Amino acid sequence: MNFKSYMKLGILSIIVNLISVYNAVFGLWSIIMIIFAWFIVKNRDAAAKPAQDKKVLGLVQTVMLGIFIFMSTVMGGMAIYMLHYPVWNYFSSYMVLFIILAVIGLIIYYYFVIRLLMESVRVVKNKRISS
């Protein structure tokens, strides 16, 4: 994927996750992942870098992305638990809508993150597949 595709997917994730109050933290993590996607695509497309340097940087990016996925999952799970009370008290009539949007937002967010992880692993394996 090119950076524009990652950007579109990330912005969709931000919008859906911020609209569903439950997943507001995943919307904020989507911003971080868009910035990280820029670095991954820039590393993949760098023509001046030797293949070994790309491989090492791709490995570092893959490890960092794994840490970010773990951190976002833990923080997002805690935020869903903590934001249940305000949603229950102030937006109880919209709770079903927020839960549906939260599920859709999680699917979009994890699709975005898994695509980034696959791209980072491709850089490590030195495979150039851009679609």
Side-chain angles (χ1 to χ4, degrees):
M1 286 176 71
N2 57 8
F3 182 68
K4 283 187 177 185
S5 300
Y6 285 124
M7 188 73 159
K8 289 176 187 176
L9 198 56
I11 289 174
L12 180 65
S13 175
I14 291 169
I15 291 170
V16 172
N17 284 322
L18 288 179
I19 289 175
S20 76
V21 179
Y22 284 114
N23 287 348
V25 172
F26 287 111
L28 298 175
W29 272 100
S30 295
I31 296 170
I32 295 169
M33 293 299 176
I34 287 174
I35 295 169
F36 202 70
W38 183 73
F39 286 112
I40 291 174
V41 171
K42 187 176 178 182
N43 181 35
R44 179 195 67 196
D45 294 340
K49 287 185 185 177
Q52 187 64 27
D53 289 349
K54 284 184 182 183
K55 203 176 228 186
V56 170
L57 190 57
L59 182 65
V60 170
Q61 288 173 343
T62 303
V63 170
M64 285 177 60
L65 194 57
I67 292 169
F68 284 170
I69 291 170
F70 176 74
M71 286 173 49
S72 69
T73 301
V74 171
M75 289 175 69
M78 290 183 341
I80 288 171
Y81 177 73
M82 289 190 303
L83 289 172
H84 178 70
Y85 179 74
V87 169
W88 183 265
N89 283 334
Y90 302 114
F91 303 113
S92 61
S93 58
Y94 300 111
M95 196 163 140
V96 173
L97 176 67
F98 287 160
I99 290 172
I100 292 170
L101 285 173
V103 169
I104 293 170
L106 278 177
I107 291 169
I108 293 170
Y109 174 76
Y110 281 109
Y111 176 73
F112 174 51
V113 170
I114 288 171
R115 292 293 302 212
L116 273 177
L117 189 63
M118 287 176 15
E119 187 73 37
S120 181
V121 169
R122 275 192 210 117
V123 170
V124 171
K125 291 183 177 180
N126 244 349
K127 292 184 180 176
R128 168 78 185 201
I129 300 173
S130 61
S131 52

